[in-house]
Amino acid sequence: MSASLIGRRLSPLLACIGLLCIWQAAALVLKTDSFPTALEAIRAIPSILGDHEALLNILDSLRRMVIGLVLAALVSIPLGLMMGRSRAIASFFNPLLMVVYPVPKAALMPVIMLWLGVGDVSKTLVIFLGVSIPIIYHSFQGAKAVEEKMLWSGAAMGLSAPQRMFRIVLPAALPEILTGCRTGLVLALITMVTSEMIARQNGAGNILFNALDMAQYETVFAMIIIIGAMGIVLDAAFEKLRARLVRWSEPDVDIPVSFS
Amino acid sequence: MSVVPLRPGVQTEPSSGHAQPVAMIEIDHVSQMFETSGRRSHLALSDISLTIEDGAFVSILGPSGCGKSTLLYIVGGFVTPTAGRAKVKGRAITGPGPDRGPVFQEFALFPWKNVLGNVMYGLRQQGVKRGEAEAQSRRLIEMVGLKGYESFYPKELSGGMKQRVAIARTLAYHPEVLLMDEPFGALDAHTRTRLQNDLLNIWERDRKTVLFVTHSVDEAVFLSDKVVVMTRSPGRIKQIVDIDLPRPRRRADLLLDPHYQKYVVDIEKLIDDVLEDELHP
């Protein structure tokens, strides 16, 4: 293993350790109850993860997040692709999306709770809304950029319009779509926590805010670390999947083979 | 009375009674108008009529903006002409179909498929079984000189290799007409010459009808049976030049051939006239 490779592998770890050191030092200097040291927070993690109830809560959160994200992808990808290929569809949906875009989706949570209760449906819906727009936008951009001649080549082979959409536009736009999904994944995590902050029933966000109410600051910060770690792990897992799916599009460091 | 099978994108014409062999492509008083910005419209093609016989290699030559690519797109069924119509084998063209295979300057390969996947694509679409499609595609890949590169992805190939794949991909589904839109325009001079030679070798095996758009005079003369010289603004046919040079042709042999040189010079003069007419109408 070369030195640069070791460096690349180690640097994220070093960054995390560095951050924890700064935290530790800052907490020691400030000495307030509401800001535990990094070590105290880390010591509180096993008791959360060891607690059956808390673990179920976190898994509930993850389940809602995944369902919201998958549903959003199932709706947003086809919509974005159709917008990218049809100017009429794009000009119909664009103003609607521009209205929805700046609204913080979690701010809709109280209204949605009135309609659909405080249960899974409301929270999943908020996650769905929170992640849809970047996925739509990236699918739209991806579909718009598909080379016309590629579609013509498909048409000449006898592909019908729906077949061209599914078998040419979708794979050609996949790198861009997955970029949107990756943004969506992080947003899903954020919306997940926020939704549980407003609809305090269960979930990772609920543990965090309950602990805050009861002034259990070690637990609060431990939950922040856990949620952050979930983000890193999910993102890394998704990135692995993405890289596998679109290996054909990655710019290569290898020099392309060449003869005329 | 026999029933003509319908091809996708092509409508059968009512029988006209005579049973003579029809021309492969008939372009009949075709005009093409484009809307440009500022509500001005631009006449890209004006009243073009042209007949291309079965098995002929015909080049369309002209300065950029003469509508030569548009004419090819109309034959491909990718663009619907504003006026007039085009027919293939006597049937009106209403859309793209596997009887007319395009090869574009931009290659337009499917980047998520490897070389074999690209070449097989049309055959699989036509319902050919995987094993058979793969065997045929491997033969074609070998024919275009890419044996050993079956599992390479387009991004890993040079421009010349990509165009070889594109040619194989189109030949794979056995179109009766090849529509080549400046296929070698993006390639360097050496690659271009090699591909021209190889294209002729392939073409001389089965003599498909080829419609070849280019702005290179020597490329047109070297490859074609007929060179259609066009003017621009609006795009019209200036003259059709029959190239009466023996086949098989090798580029290196032709360069010193006085007949070849005469064709090149004559057509260069025609193009000069075209450009001169634009300046002093």
Side-chain angles (χ1 to χ4, degrees):
Chain A
M1 203 187 282
S2 71
S4 78
L5 189 62
I6 297 171
R8 214 162 17 154
R9 289 271 163 83
L10 280 181
S11 46
L13 194 66
L14 288 174
C16 289
I17 293 170
L19 188 68
L20 290 173
C21 286
I22 294 169
W23 174 1
Q24 182 75 17
L28 287 173
V29 171
L30 289 172
K31 275 196 178 134
T32 30
D33 286 347
S34 57
F35 191 25
T37 65
L39 283 175
E40 284 166 339
I42 290 169
R43 270 202 293 270
I45 294 176
S47 65
I48 298 173
L49 294 183
D51 180 39
H52 188 64
E53 185 88 5
L55 213 54
L56 281 181
N57 269 293
I58 294 173
L59 286 178
D60 266 348
S61 295
L62 278 174
R63 178 172 48 81
R64 283 192 291 269
M65 189 192 113
V66 170
I67 293 173
L69 187 63
V70 169
L71 287 178
L74 286 178
V75 174
S76 307
I77 295 171
L79 177 61
L81 293 182
M82 285 193 292
M83 285 171 64
R85 295 315 308 172
S86 153
R87 229 176 261 183
I89 296 177
S91 33
F92 179 83
F93 281 103
N94 254 331
L96 296 177
L97 293 173
M98 284 326 276
V99 170
V100 180
Y101 190 29
V103 177
K105 306 305 169 289
L108 300 173
M109 191 69 194
V111 186
I112 292 173
M113 276 159 61
L114 285 178
W115 300 338
L116 301 172
V118 289
D120 278 5
V121 181
S122 297
K123 289 174 205 156
T124 313
L125 180 61
V126 171
I127 294 169
F128 173 90
L129 293 173
V131 305
S132 288
I133 287 189
I135 303 181
I136 293 174
Y137 177 76
H138 282 278
S139 307
F140 168 66
Q141 291 297 337
K144 218 167 73 168
V146 174
E147 230 184 303
E148 199 71 33
K149 307 273 165 77
M150 212 190 275
L151 293 164
W152 287 3
S153 297
M157 291 175 188
L159 273 82
S160 65
Q163 282 178 323
R164 291 200 292 275
M165 195 61 154
F166 201 69
R167 292 177 45 193
I168 296 180
V169 177
L170 177 65
L174 196 62
E176 188 70 37
I177 293 172
L178 292 180
T179 304
C181 290
R182 195 176 171 192
T183 314
L185 181 71
V186 179
L187 281 175
L189 195 69
I190 296 170
T191 331
M192 176 194 93
V193 176
T194 340
S195 73
E196 290 160 355
M197 177 178 95
I198 298 164
R200 294 273 285 276
Q201 194 195 26
N202 71 352
N206 187 46
I207 301 175
L208 198 162
F209 291 102
N210 272 345
L212 194 63
D213 287 350
M214 292 185 284
Q216 295 166 341
Y217 297 111
E218 288 84 4
T219 311
V220 171
F221 280 85
M223 273 316 291
I224 292 175
I225 294 176
I226 291 172
I227 292 167
M230 271 160 58
I232 292 176
V233 170
L234 286 171
D235 186 62
F238 188 81
E239 177 54 25
K240 262 223 154 73
L241 175 74
R242 192 196 66 81
R244 271 184 81 95
L245 284 173
V246 298
R247 204 166 21 196
W248 52 267
S249 77
E250 298 293 291
D252 242 339
V253 273
D254 307 339
I255 300 156
V257 290
S258 180
F259 74 81
S260 50
Chain B
M1 203 185 109
S2 65
V3 179
V4 183
L6 258 179
R7 287 189 166 275
V10 174
Q11 267 176 5
T12 35
E13 284 280 285
S15 171
S16 52
H18 57 87
Q20 277 180 353
V22 285
M24 185 55 94
I25 298 167
E26 291 161 275
I27 297 165
D28 189 15
H29 297 288
V30 159
S31 294
Q32 180 68 48
M33 197 94 103
F34 285 120
E35 301 293 322
T36 54
S37 56
R39 292 195 179 172
R40 285 226 308 265
S41 50
H42 166 70
L43 189 60
L45 292 173
S46 172
D47 198 29
I48 303 271
S49 292
L50 179 67
T51 302
I52 295 165
E53 288 135 41
D54 190 2
F57 197 124
V58 176
S59 286
I60 307 179
L61 184 71
S64 46
C66 72
K68 54 191 190 295
S69 289
T70 307
L71 192 59
L72 182 117
Y73 300 158
I74 288 171
V75 175
F78 309 121
V79 170
T80 310
T82 320
R85 62 176 171 176
K87 295 189 215 171
V88 58
K89 283 193 145 182
R91 298 181 297 262
I93 293 167
T94 56
D99 52 345
R100 287 151 289 139
V103 175
F104 298 107
Q105 182 177 1
E106 302 90 338
F107 322 125
L109 295 173
F110 304 133
W112 61 92
K113 293 263 177 205
N114 62 19
V115 169
L116 182 65
N118 267 282
V119 177
M120 275 174 65
Y121 206 94
L123 283 172
R124 295 286 292 145
Q125 178 63 28
Q126 238 110 99
V128 178
K129 292 266 182 303
R130 177 169 287 279
E132 176 57 26
E134 189 176 326
Q136 283 188 31
S137 301
R138 285 185 186 280
R139 279 198 295 276
L140 265 172
I141 291 166
E142 189 174 353
M143 187 170 91
V144 298
L146 287 178
K147 192 176 168 60
Y149 293 95
E150 289 83 356
S151 61
F152 281 59
Y153 282 85
K155 67 156 183 187
E156 299 171 303
L157 305 176
S158 67
M161 296 167 87
K162 281 184 197 157
Q163 198 56 291
R164 288 170 186 274
V165 179
I167 291 170
R169 179 180 69 169
T170 299
L171 290 174
Y173 54 91
H174 307 295
E176 288 166 273
V177 183
L178 272 183
L179 301 172
M180 308 190 84
D181 181 23
E182 300 195 40
F184 309 141
L187 308 176
D188 67 74
H190 301 296
T191 308
R192 207 181 160 109
T193 309
R194 282 199 64 178
L195 264 87
Q196 287 168 353
N197 276 324
D198 289 359
L199 175 66
L200 269 197
N201 283 339
I202 292 168
W203 179 77
E204 272 154 6
R205 291 184 203 183
D206 58 358
R207 304 251 171 170
K208 279 182 199 304
T209 311
V210 179
L211 191 56
F212 191 102
V213 166
T214 180
H215 56 249
S216 157
V217 176
D218 50 343
E219 179 171 82
V221 173
F222 170 54
L223 295 172
S224 317
D225 298 320
K226 250 180 211 184
V227 176
V228 180
V229 181
M230 288 184 66
T231 66
R232 68 179 162 191
S233 318
R236 285 207 178 93
I237 294 176
K238 168 96 174 166
Q239 195 170 323
I240 298 175
V241 182
D242 286 303
I243 307 295
D244 197 10
L245 292 171
R247 293 186 188 271
R249 300 175 189 167
R250 294 291 300 176
R251 205 178 152 85
D253 303 336
L254 275 184
L255 286 175
L256 286 172
D257 183 327
H259 296 102
Y260 167 81
Q261 290 167 344
K262 175 110 173 52
Y263 282 124
V264 172
V265 172
D266 286 352
I267 294 173
E268 292 277 8
K269 278 184 185 148
L270 270 175
I271 303 255
D272 275 351
D273 289 349
V274 166
L275 299 174
E276 190 66 20
D277 289 348
E278 281 176 21
L279 287 173
H280 311 286

